[in-house]
Amino acid sequence: MKYPNGVKQQKTSDLHIQYGNRGMNLEKDLNDSNNYYIDMEKAFIYKKPTPIQITKVDYPSRSAAVIREAYFKEPSTTDYNGIYRGNYIDFEAKETNNKTSFPLNNINAHQIKHIENVYKANGICFLIVRFNFLNETYLLMAKDFLDFIKGNSRKSIPISYFKEYGHKIEEKYIPRLDYLKIIDKILDNK
Amino acid sequence: MKYPNGVKQQKTSDLHIQYGNRGMNLEKDLNDSNNYYIDMEKAFIYKKPTPIQITKVDYPSRSAAVIREAYFKEPSTTDYNGIYRGNYIDFEAKETNNKTSFPLNNINAHQIKHIENVYKANGICFLIVRFNFLNETYLLMAKDFLDFIKGNSRKSIPISYFKEYGHKIEEKYIPRLDYLKIIDKILDNK
């Protein structure tokens, strides 16, 4: 498509904002979905707090400590875990603006080791990956994720792999991302 | 006991420091024990990061963001969770300087609700409580904890309740607190 000078730039900028927000929404969508599951007493799955190294705290009064200096730490496990149908649930959620593949540098070596540990321990472990530009969200079980890493030297997982081995999560009004529907099928076929 | 003027104050201060350190050690002892379990590939149980509300972040360079203002948030779940023998494990750990009982204000209403949720969902849920002055550490299963709360209007759980319904955790060299030995017995009797 061709645009008069300036208009295209404007459009790109809008898209950037739009998709940027949408990317941030994966966490919000998952938290909303998890809160729905908790309210229904269906599952108890929470996002872990962001790991922080605190180096300076002020105590201006007895009741409120203020952290004045702290740094973000690399996570050593995944972001979400909890219990569903008596099973230990553990997953990492990521969004990407990449159109054709999911870059593996989104997940660090400690997290991959953790995913492998949980998988071997018979936990229900998976990734949830949203492709922002396609507005598609996939669930990929730990086994299929680990199979890809072991069988490939590629630095990203192509979307075709998610389409073949993953499970597309439908977006609904409530819960926003009903990913436990996919886990139900997997548990029922176990 | 009677002390000459000033000496008692000194003693109390020493004790405060000594037991303060020992209190801090429960978290360290549990983290060391959990790391041992992870190294042995026996269990994958982690302490969740401290929940923080970040209100100001500086970006002095592209590589290192510095948190300049943040506040501690009330936890809505327990501190530790993970997987052991295919089971979802979830617990809260607390130390107390109280000599005769464990004050219930150590555990907030959201956490009690969470413990109840996990218990009902068939997770393995418990408290680990260290009485610093006695140097004794007990594991109390969620059911016994919830039974106490429901059957009592007391604001603290007497140590006699821990002795009767709880399980004393022996301190060893490695792992420091082998609490999974108690969970083994409970799982074997299920």
Side-chain angles (χ1 to χ4, degrees):
Chain A
M1 275 193 279
K2 281 190 176 180
Y3 294 96
N5 274 351
V7 174
K8 192 181 179 184
Q9 184 60 35
Q10 186 61 40
K11 281 274 176 198
T12 311
S13 167
D14 284 347
L15 277 173
H16 180 74
I17 291 161
Q18 181 190 344
Y19 286 105
N21 287 343
R22 197 182 280 178
M24 288 302 290
N25 282 346
L26 177 59
E27 181 178 325
K28 189 185 178 305
D29 286 352
L30 285 169
N31 288 345
D32 286 353
S33 302
N34 287 338
N35 285 337
Y36 170 82
Y37 292 143
I38 291 164
D39 287 345
M40 296 290 117
E41 302 192 354
K42 182 180 168 83
F44 301 99
I45 298 165
Y46 292 86
K47 184 176 187 297
K48 292 180 197 169
T50 305
I52 299 284
Q53 179 71 48
I54 298 168
T55 46
K56 196 177 153 197
V57 181
D58 276 358
Y59 298 91
S61 75
R62 290 189 72 164
S63 56
V66 185
I67 297 160
R68 289 292 177 200
E69 189 182 282
Y71 298 88
F72 294 101
K73 285 202 294 186
E74 279 254 306
S76 54
T77 65
T78 49
D79 266 358
Y80 297 83
N81 74 355
I83 184 169
Y84 177 53
R85 287 176 54 178
N87 294 273
Y88 175 69
I89 303 289
D90 190 304
F91 66 95
E92 181 66 23
K94 292 288 182 196
E95 42 89 22
T96 178
N97 290 323
N98 201 305
K99 289 173 196 179
T100 55
S101 66
F102 172 66
L104 283 168
N105 61 8
N106 274 290
I107 301 188
N108 72 42
H110 288 289
Q111 293 179 307
I112 293 173
K113 179 65 184 155
H114 176 74
I115 290 168
E116 195 172 14
N117 286 339
V118 173
Y119 167 66
K120 283 186 188 166
N122 291 318
I124 305 295
C125 190
F126 49 91
L127 295 184
I128 290 179
V129 174
R130 178 175 284 176
F131 290 88
N132 287 328
F133 274 94
L134 302 166
N135 197 26
E136 291 182 357
T137 307
Y138 290 90
L139 186 155
L140 186 67
M141 293 302 291
K143 185 186 180 302
D144 298 307
F145 171 64
L146 297 167
D147 280 354
F148 181 90
I149 289 175
K150 272 154 199 168
N152 278 278
S153 53
R154 290 188 58 159
K155 291 207 167 57
S156 66
I157 306 178
I159 185 146
S160 60
Y161 192 85
F162 286 91
K163 286 184 197 286
E164 188 170 353
Y165 296 97
H167 310 263
K168 194 170 168 183
I169 306 174
E170 299 303 332
E171 294 196 12
K172 300 196 299 185
Y173 180 63
I174 188 163
R176 192 83 183 103
L177 290 172
D178 195 5
Y179 64 92
L180 289 181
K181 212 167 154 183
I182 295 161
I183 300 305
D184 275 333
K185 280 185 202 158
I186 288 161
L187 288 172
D188 291 343
N189 290 329
K190 251 195 164 180
Chain B
M1 275 192 279
K2 281 190 176 180
Y3 296 95
N5 274 350
V7 173
K8 192 180 179 184
Q9 184 62 34
Q10 185 61 38
K11 281 273 177 199
T12 311
S13 166
D14 284 347
L15 278 174
H16 181 74
I17 291 161
Q18 183 192 344
Y19 287 104
N21 288 342
R22 197 181 281 178
M24 287 303 287
N25 282 346
L26 177 59
E27 182 177 325
K28 188 184 178 306
D29 286 352
L30 285 169
N31 289 345
D32 287 352
S33 304
N34 287 338
N35 285 337
Y36 170 82
Y37 292 143
I38 291 164
D39 288 346
M40 296 290 117
E41 302 193 353
K42 184 181 166 83
F44 301 98
I45 298 165
Y46 292 86
K47 185 177 186 296
K48 292 180 198 169
T50 305
I52 300 284
Q53 178 72 46
I54 298 168
T55 45
K56 197 178 153 197
V57 181
D58 276 358
Y59 299 91
S61 75
R62 290 190 72 163
S63 57
V66 186
I67 296 160
R68 288 292 178 201
E69 189 182 282
Y71 297 88
F72 294 101
K73 284 202 295 186
E74 279 253 305
S76 55
T77 65
T78 49
D79 266 358
Y80 298 82
N81 73 355
I83 184 169
Y84 177 53
R85 287 176 56 178
N87 293 273
Y88 175 70
I89 303 289
D90 191 305
F91 66 95
E92 181 66 22
K94 291 289 181 195
E95 41 89 22
T96 178
N97 290 323
N98 202 305
K99 290 174 197 178
T100 54
S101 66
F102 172 66
L104 284 168
N105 61 8
N106 274 290
I107 301 189
N108 72 42
H110 288 289
Q111 293 179 308
I112 293 173
K113 180 64 183 157
H114 176 74
I115 290 167
E116 195 172 13
N117 285 340
V118 172
Y119 167 67
K120 282 187 189 166
N122 289 317
I124 305 295
C125 190
F126 49 91
L127 295 184
I128 290 180
V129 175
R130 179 175 283 175
F131 290 89
N132 288 328
F133 273 94
L134 301 166
N135 197 26
E136 291 181 358
T137 308
Y138 291 89
L139 185 155
L140 186 68
M141 293 303 290
K143 184 187 180 300
D144 298 308
F145 171 65
L146 297 168
D147 279 354
F148 181 89
I149 289 175
K150 270 154 201 170
N152 279 278
S153 54
R154 290 188 58 158
K155 292 206 167 59
S156 65
I157 306 178
I159 185 144
S160 60
Y161 191 85
F162 286 91
K163 287 183 197 286
E164 188 170 352
Y165 297 97
H167 310 264
K168 193 170 168 182
I169 306 175
E170 298 304 333
E171 295 195 12
K172 301 197 298 186
Y173 179 63
I174 187 162
R176 193 83 183 103
L177 291 172
D178 195 6
Y179 64 92
L180 290 182
K181 212 168 154 184
I182 294 160
I183 300 305
D184 276 333
K185 279 186 203 159
I186 287 161
L187 288 173
D188 292 342
N189 290 329
K190 252 195 165 180

